[in-house]
Amino acid sequence: MSKEIINEKKLIVDELAEKMKKAQAVIFYDYIGLTVAEATELRNQFRAKDIEYKVIKNTMLKRAADALEYDKVDDYLKGPTAVAFSYDDPVAPAKILSDFVKKLKKTQIKSGILNGKVMDVKGVESLATLPSREELLSKMLGSLNAPITGLVMALSGVPRNLVYALNAVKNVKEN
């Protein structure tokens, strides 16, 4: 192999290692058997959630994982592999791929990495059952908002009850 090709491969491995290190979640996926339309649909779902999706050679992935000292990644990198990198929401790629696999029934998730820890397929599937970042934020805002709403209702109830009492006194005095 020429020196240029070796340097080019080293750059690719370094870039992959940087992406794996920076990503909150990395999901490895066996894409064999997908039609062009199905692959396009999957890419569009990832793009909508700002998830990077690439088909990468296993040797490059193994070298990047070795550089980051991720144990047991080699065990899962057999056959064709596509990778989803999520930098913001660790649950999103697992959810998308899990739903996609259930719908098609002809591909499979291989494994994943969550914040530097290697997961097997069951780990990725359990990650997919968690609520998304948006769902968690909305639940948190709802729970933060509930005491404030209760306080406002209680405080507005005092003047309202006073008005009712005054109105009742007025009605009694008029009769």
Side-chain angles (χ1 to χ4, degrees):
M1 248 191 276
S2 75
K3 208 171 202 178
E4 289 177 15
I5 293 174
I6 292 172
N7 287 338
E8 190 176 310
K9 287 185 178 186
K10 182 168 178 9
L11 286 173
I12 292 169
V13 169
D14 291 345
E15 181 184 337
L16 276 173
E18 185 61 33
K19 286 180 182 192
M20 290 170 109
K21 187 171 143 184
K22 194 169 90 173
Q24 288 189 17
V26 180
I27 308 295
F28 302 106
Y29 173 69
D30 181 354
Y31 64 91
I32 198 93
L34 291 182
T35 66
V36 173
E38 291 164 343
T40 302
E41 177 189 341
L42 182 59
R43 285 182 188 277
N44 289 339
Q45 288 180 32
F46 281 135
R47 199 173 295 122
K49 296 284 186 178
D50 291 327
I51 298 168
E52 188 176 346
Y53 180 75
K54 292 182 176 260
V55 174
I56 302 170
K57 288 186 174 184
N58 288 338
T59 53
M60 300 290 186
L61 289 170
K62 287 176 186 177
R63 288 181 182 156
D66 289 344
L68 295 171
E69 299 178 2
Y70 291 157
D71 296 334
K72 300 179 184 176
V73 171
D74 294 2
D75 300 344
Y76 303 108
L77 298 178
K78 311 249 187 292
T81 305
V83 184
F85 299 96
S86 180
Y87 303 105
D88 298 323
D89 186 357
V91 176
K95 268 190 189 298
I96 291 170
L97 278 173
S98 183
D99 292 345
F100 197 75
V101 166
K102 286 176 188 170
K103 181 176 133 186
L104 291 182
K105 294 180 174 61
K106 62 180 178 180
T107 60
Q108 64 183 7
I109 295 171
K110 292 182 173 188
S111 68
I113 301 170
L114 178 65
N115 294 321
K117 306 288 184 220
V118 178
M119 311 182 278
D120 60 3
V121 177
K122 289 182 181 177
V124 175
E125 288 171 353
S126 65
L127 181 64
T129 62
L130 294 175
S132 70
R133 183 174 185 265
E134 289 82 19
E135 290 174 84
L136 289 174
L137 285 173
S138 67
K139 285 180 182 180
M140 185 182 77
L141 286 174
S143 65
L144 289 175
N145 197 21
I148 295 168
T149 304
L151 179 65
V152 168
M153 294 304 285
L155 291 176
S156 68
V158 171
R160 189 177 333 120
N161 290 340
L162 178 63
V163 169
Y164 291 149
L166 291 174
N167 197 23
V169 169
K170 178 185 139 201
N171 288 339
V172 168
K173 289 201 177 208
E174 286 178 352
N175 292 334

